[in-house]
Each structure stands twice: as structure tokens, then as C-alpha cells.
Amino acid sequence: MEDIFAPEAKLWHHVESVIRREMDLFGYSEIRTPILEKTELFVRGVGNTTDIVKKEMYTFNDKGERSMTMRPEGTAGVVRAVVEHNLLQAALPVFKCFYIGPMYRYERPQKGRLRQFHQFGVECFGTDSPYIDAEVIQILYMILKNLGLSELNVKLNSIGCPECRPVFKEKAIEYFSGMKDKLCSECNERLTVNPLRIYDCKVPECKECSKDAPFMSDHLCKSCGDHFEKVKSVLSSINIPFTHDKSLVRGLDYYTKTAFEVTSKHLGAQDALGGGGRYDNLVSELGGPKAPSIGFGMGLERVMLAVKNQNIDLKISSGQDVYIIPFSNNESDYCFKLLTGLRAEGISSQMAVGEKKMGSHFKDAEKIGARFAVVVGENEIKSGCVAVKNLAAHEQANVDAAGLAEYIKNALKK
Ligand code: HAM
């Protein structure tokens, strides 16, 4: 779990503002749900055979002996809220929302993998239109592009539906049963409970086994096959580059049909910047109406890491406009009023506190990234004229205190 503070915090604000702008553009409104939910929600929603539910949740009994879990992901909580508040009925024909917030998974920490991490996620409820699949993938891709990220790989697959997947599962079980001794112990377990997960096992022997295995996307029913073809053609028509990755299966149980992930070449082993897919049955499984839906989650720490690894200069302005330095404590009252006046005019300003040598004050001004230092002594108060120093240009001017804000504004424009 990490602390986030300046200057890093500025980068977070920038990324969040790019996200919010895109969300306005695409018509998604913000939803904020609690971090704590009943454990049962994730067991039913995410699935009790998944790594998340089996090994990674922060779960505890509260004082009322209820089993509670700190959300490991955002979708289940959002679905709960949508059902609880009838949001879908109110927002016909579709309900589109997004969230930004912390998630918790007790995973083995490594670069790009934390126990508290932040996700930006979007969910669109109430339609199985392949245009929405394309739209959701487009959102993720556009945001990453707008942040300057390149060498992205959009991986796309279809993992079928309750009609075609069970039939395929039997085929996969039959195939992998013949090579049990080559599969890792975890995949041997997966073979009976969730054979599709064998396809994304990172163990080289398991990868070798799944190379010639039958793939879900070659055994889709007509409805899933048609849907997949349409999603691909819409993405091509809007120039979103993608690769069909037959072994992409995703680690959460609620997915149907479309599954996708966007990876970056600028990250290490944990290279997925975001991932998601369609979940046509989750809303009804959690007590809501029939509402085919789709969404994704994007890992903000991984996005920050990719921005840094790619040396992207986001031109984020930092530092203050003005640093006011009272010559001694006697001038502090006057300076504090001056400071208040500048801030009221929208000029970011700080005032030096505590008596110091002038040289140290100027060092502090540099430290906070001030563009101008304003020095006020007894004489300045008497004359009503303050000394303004442009710290980058090393120029000094005497400025009428009443016109200080105007002077700084003009100087900043230059
Ligand atoms: P997910 O693939 O588990 O999907 O997570 C989405 C993204 O969150 C990942 O691609 C990664 O960038 C980030 N992430 C996941 N775990 C960690 C971690 N331990 N440390 C840092 N970043 C991490 C979901 O969570 C689904 N709820 C997405 C979704 C929304 N599907 C439909 N709607």
C-alpha cells in the first residue's frame, strides 16, 4: 500500500482530469459506492472459484458479526447499487457510469501489483449492442492515448455464454485430462472447477500444453459468434487496433462473450493497464432485472508507471506564482493582507513564516517553485511600493502595492 503526495499527486490529478473529460464526452456519470460490502456479494458476483475470492480478499467480521470485505474490484458493488436503487429502470434505455477509487487484494506485491491499488472503471448496463462493446474498448484506448501512452496492445477474445461455454468446457477437460502430469498443481485443480483458467496460466509447461488445445472462440454458438464478428468489425471501422488473443480468459467468473485487455510494452510482468468484458447475467444473478452489461477496470498505479517509464512530459504546472517575504515579523500583518488580496485575484501565493536570513528565504522561494518573490520591509510599507523579483529572469521592479495583483497577472502572461 502506498502513500501518494506531491509532486506525484499532481500527476494523479492530471490523469483523473483526462478521465473525467472523456467521461463527459461519452456520457458516463460518476458513481461512488462504499469500500466495504458484504462478503457474500463478491462470493456470488466475482465467483467462489476465482483467485480473488479464494485467496485475495481482506475479509473480517464486524462488531455485529457480519462478514464484510474491502472491495477487491468495483463491478460487484456497482451492480449492487444499480439493483438497490433501481437505477436501470430510471435511466432507460441504458445506464452508464464510472468510478475512481481504491481496491484491495491480498496479492504478492511486486512492481505494478499492490495490495491497495486504484481503479478507474466504467460500466454500461442494459444493452447487448456490439456498438457498446466497441465504445467501452474505445474509452479505455482513448484515455491511454490521450495520456501519451504508446505501444499499446488491445487484446480481444470471446469467452462464450452459458449456452456454448459448458459444451466447450467438456472439450477442454477432455483435452487437458490427457496431460495432467505436465500441468502445474494449480492447473490440475482448475481442470475440474474452471478449465478455462488453464489458458492464461503463466507456467511455461502449462503454456506449452494449451498451445494446441481447442479454443473457446472457435466453438462459439451462433449468437456469440455473430456478436464477436460485429465487435471486431466496429472496432476496425473506428481504427482501434486490436489482436484476437484466443487464450485471453480473464480472472473473474462473471464474464460472457467479449473479454479484453490493454497491455503496455513499457511495463514489466504486470503489463495489463486495464481489462474488462461483457457480463450479461450478473445483474439478474444479483437480484436485478435481465440487463446485459459491459465494463472495464483500469489500474491507475500501472498507468502512472507507464507514463514514467515512457518519460512522458505531461507539462503539468507545479509551484506557486508568488512568495511573499516580510523583512521581519513587524511586516507580517501587512504581508498577510497582501497575500489574501493576491489569492482573492486567483494568484497562487505563499508567505514566509518565521524570521530567516534573506538568502534562506530566497532558497525557500525556489523550493516551492515560486515565479516571483515579493519583499516587504519597513520602507516598502511607508512608500506603498513593494519589491518584486522575477526569480527566473533575475529582474527586480518596484511595484505599487495596490496594483500588485495586476502587475503579477500581466507578468505571468508573458
Ligand atoms: P481486473 O482485470 O481484475 O478487472 O482489474 C482491472 C485492472 O486493475 C488490471 O488490468 C490492472 O491494471 C489493475 N489491477 C488489478 N489488480 C491490481 C493490483 N493488485 N495492483 C495494481 N493494479 C491492479 C476487474 O477488476 C474488473 N472489475 C473490471 C471490469 C469492470 N470488468 C467489467 N467491468
Side-chain angles (χ1 to χ4, degrees):
M1 299 190 186
E2 281 179 347
D3 300 310
I4 301 163
F5 46 88
E8 181 105 0
K10 281 261 181 194
L11 180 58
W12 280 75
H13 280 171
H14 176 76
V15 171
E16 286 172 19
S17 73
V18 169
I19 288 171
R20 287 176 193 282
R21 206 167 47 226
E22 212 70 12
M23 289 294 82
D24 278 346
L25 201 61
F26 280 82
Y28 286 67
S29 57
E30 186 170 8
I31 184 162
R32 300 187 188 194
T33 64
I35 285 164
L36 280 186
E37 297 275 0
K38 287 185 186 149
T39 303
E40 189 198 330
L41 173 71
F42 301 112
V43 176
R44 287 173 62 203
V46 176
N48 55 7
T49 65
T50 59
D51 286 351
I52 294 182
V53 169
K54 276 197 334 205
K55 317 185 230 181
E56 296 169 2
M57 295 204 303
Y58 282 86
T59 297
F60 61 93
N61 277 2
D62 71 5
K63 288 192 169 45
E65 287 307 314
R66 284 167 295 235
S67 178
M68 305 300 289
T69 292
M70 291 163 79
R71 62 182 183 195
E73 59 100 54
T75 312
V78 171
V79 172
R80 182 212 35 79
V82 165
V83 173
E84 197 173 314
H85 304 287
N86 283 324
L87 297 177
L88 190 54
Q89 283 88 330
L92 284 173
V94 292
F95 178 66
K96 294 176 168 185
C97 64
F98 77 96
Y99 48 89
I100 301 173
M103 310 287 159
Y104 301 84
R105 294 186 193 175
Y106 194 83
E107 291 195 83
R108 196 169 47 80
Q110 63 181 94
K111 203 142 192 85
R113 196 208 262 156
L114 298 116
R115 289 183 172 166
Q116 175 185 274
F117 61 99
H118 295 75
Q119 268 186 3
F120 152 60
V122 317
E123 315 290 351
C124 178
F125 297 94
T127 175
D128 60 1
S129 165
Y131 289 99
I132 296 297
D133 299 49
E135 173 178 288
V136 163
I137 296 169
Q138 185 187 22
I139 292 171
L140 178 54
Y141 186 72
M142 291 307 294
I143 287 176
L144 296 172
K145 281 295 216 194
N146 287 347
L147 287 168
L149 293 171
S150 58
E151 297 192 84
L152 301 169
N153 189 4
V154 180
K155 298 178 184 176
L156 185 69
N157 198 17
S158 175
I159 55 168
C161 69
E163 201 181 300
C164 51
R165 202 185 306 154
V167 184
F168 172 74
K169 265 190 184 172
E170 291 306 317
K171 279 197 177 71
I173 292 173
E174 200 184 308
Y175 174 84
F176 287 114
S177 294
M179 41 187 69
K180 273 185 183 166
D181 48 336
K182 290 192 192 124
L183 295 174
C184 71
S185 60
E186 240 177 293
C187 280
N188 264 292
E189 243 176 72
R190 287 172 179 144
L191 187 55
T192 43
V193 280
N194 200 351
L196 257 64
R197 289 305 310 279
I198 298 175
Y199 290 85
D200 74 348
C201 180
K202 301 282 181 286
V203 176
E205 287 78 10
C206 300
K207 273 189 165 175
E208 190 57 34
C209 287
S210 57
K211 227 172 59 191
D212 298 319
F215 287 100
M216 181 70 241
S217 58
D218 295 325
H219 295 84
L220 298 172
C221 61
K222 173 138 181 25
S223 154
C224 289
D226 289 350
H227 185 91
F228 191 40
E229 287 311 310
K230 188 69 189 170
V231 174
K232 287 191 286 183
S233 81
V234 178
L235 283 174
S236 299
S237 75
I238 54 169
N239 300 320
I240 305 282
F242 64 88
T243 48
H244 176 188
D245 181 344
K246 292 187 176 192
S247 59
L248 179 73
V249 290
R250 308 272 305 133
L252 300 96
D253 275 358
Y254 45 64
Y255 293 116
T256 51
K257 294 185 176 161
T258 308
F260 61 94
E261 251 169 38
V262 179
T263 58
S264 160
K265 287 221 172 78
H266 297 273
L267 293 173
Q270 301 304 316
D271 63 352
L273 288 167
R278 186 160 269 295
Y279 50 95
D280 287 348
N281 304 310
L282 185 62
V283 179
S284 54
E285 277 163 17
L286 293 180
K290 190 169 163 33
S293 307
I294 181 166
F296 71 76
M298 176 179 108
L300 294 182
E301 283 82 358
R302 289 193 195 169
V303 168
M304 310 296 166
L305 206 59
V307 166
K308 276 193 214 144
N309 290 352
Q310 249 190 265
N311 290 320
I312 297 171
D313 180 7
L314 292 170
K315 309 245 176 326
I316 298 168
S317 77
S318 60
Q320 298 274 300
D321 296 329
V322 175
Y323 194 60
I324 303 182
I325 307 170
F327 199 79
S328 73
N329 279 343
N330 297 336
E331 290 80 36
S332 293
D333 283 349
Y334 179 91
C335 285
F336 199 67
K337 274 197 207 151
L338 212 54
L339 176 75
T340 305
L342 290 181
R343 287 175 175 163
E345 289 292 324
I347 298 167
S348 61
S349 317
Q350 297 286 322
M351 181 181 98
V353 283
E355 288 199 48
K356 272 186 187 181
K357 290 209 174 89
M358 206 35 83
S360 303
H361 277 314
F362 275 104
K363 277 200 188 118
D364 290 346
E366 263 169 42
K367 247 194 247 165
I368 66 156
R371 288 155 194 87
F372 297 92
V374 175
V375 183
V376 181
E378 209 181 315
N379 291 342
E380 280 76 13
I381 295 180
K382 267 190 210 140
S383 68
C385 248
V386 295
V388 179
K389 190 165 178 185
N390 182 327
L391 292 169
H394 301 288
E395 288 165 5
Q396 192 163 321
N398 284 333
V399 178
D400 182 9
L404 180 62
E406 212 46 43
Y407 175 87
I408 299 283
K409 275 189 198 166
N410 286 332
L412 285 171
K413 273 188 213 144
K414 287 181 203 149

